[in-house]
Amino acid sequence: MTEEELNIAFNEAYQRASRTKIQLPPDVMLHFYAYYKQAIHTEGSGFYNPSGDSELRNAFKLNALFQVKNLTPNEAKLKYIELVNIHIVD
């Protein structure tokens, strides 16, 4: 798959995930979150710091991000696409 094809597939997967009405378990949502953030991560931008009012929720987000920190953006895009294909049925 070329980089352009990967980007198209990732954007389509993101659109599918954004439109779904399926209520996913929190752990699956954290995987979506972490893969998405790693996929759009650009070099030199530093580590993403989650925002929100809940310190506990932010801690879970940071943990999810830490678990995917060694993935390249392209690897994260593939993982995100895989998650969509498993959990989001049109």
Side-chain angles (χ1 to χ4, degrees), residues 36-73:
Y36 177 79
K37 289 297 184 183
Q38 188 67 13
I40 64 169
H41 177 78
T42 56
E43 294 300 320
S45 65
F47 193 72
Y48 177 76
N49 189 15
S51 62
D53 295 335
S54 170
E55 287 184 24
L56 180 60
R57 183 173 293 153
N58 286 345
F60 279 110
K61 287 179 177 180
L62 280 173
N63 183 50
L65 290 169
F66 183 74
Q67 291 179 33
V68 302
K69 71 178 183 147
N70 292 326
L71 294 177
T72 67

Side-chain angles (χ1 to χ4, degrees), residues 1-54:
M1 179 181 301
T2 67
E3 182 130 8
E4 183 179 353
E5 291 169 332
L6 177 59
N7 288 332
I8 290 169
F10 174 73
N11 288 329
E12 288 173 354
Y14 175 76
Q15 291 303 317
R16 282 178 60 200
S18 296
R19 288 190 308 262
T20 190
K21 303 289 186 219
I22 298 170
Q23 296 229 341
L24 298 168
D27 61 322
V28 174
M29 293 297 294
L30 282 169
H31 280 65
F32 272 102
Y33 171 82
Y35 290 141
Y36 177 79
K37 289 297 184 183
Q38 188 67 13
I40 64 169
H41 177 78
T42 56
E43 294 300 320
S45 65
F47 193 72
Y48 177 76
N49 189 15
S51 62
D53 295 335
S54 170

